[in-house]
Amino acid sequence: MKLTGKALGLCAALLFSGSALAASSDQKTIINPDTLSDSSSSGYSQVVVVAPDTRMVYVAGQVGIDKDGSNTFEDQVDRTFENVIKALEAAGSSVEDTVKITVLVKGINQDRLDYVNKKRREIFGASPPASTLIPVPALATEIIEFEIDAVAVVPDKSSGD
């Protein structure tokens, strides 16, 4: 018997009984178990389950420096997310289809963390991916202060959703 993505998502939700189910699609199911901290205020999910036979896209680390413009931390965060969105769209995916991001932050402090959390909530909305934030002492070059890589599903256009 072959299960559809929706059926698999429902099965995953049942397996994690006592969990708050944030969002579900044919290809991904977001689970925020009541037994883990509430990550919604920080703009990420604790668990994302991907349906079998789903095409995946892996986006390399993106940065947001501008050789001719402002390179404040906030500007870099904004441009980095814009670059991730462009990369996902080039692969036929989107932020709604993102299942995991890794965020690298140089010189982490509360203001930077607050801005990253605000931006994650703004970009990912009700369907946030799982996320790991790693404070780092340095990135590829001195000017880079923020980097993100992403993993996303590529929607099945034939399902008619």
Side-chain angles (χ1 to χ4, degrees), residues 30 32 38-45 77-78 81 85 95-96 101 103 110-131 133 146 148:
I30 293 173
N32 285 305
D38 179 8
S39 57
S40 61
S41 66
S42 296
Y44 70 94
S45 297
V77 170
D78 293 348
F81 274 106
I85 292 167
V95 293
E96 292 84 11
I101 61 172
V103 177
Q110 192 61 51
D111 289 338
R112 287 183 172 202
L113 180 59
D114 290 345
Y115 192 78
V116 170
N117 289 344
K118 174 183 165 236
K119 196 66 177 182
R120 279 194 298 212
R121 288 189 308 270
E122 177 185 312
I123 297 295
F124 296 108
S127 185
S131 179
L133 187 144
F146 186 78
I148 303 174

Side-chain angles (χ1 to χ4, degrees), residues 95-108:
V95 293
E96 292 84 11
D97 302 311
T98 305
V99 297
K100 173 76 168 85
I101 61 172
T102 303
V103 177
L104 306 172
V105 181
K106 185 169 96 174
I108 190 81

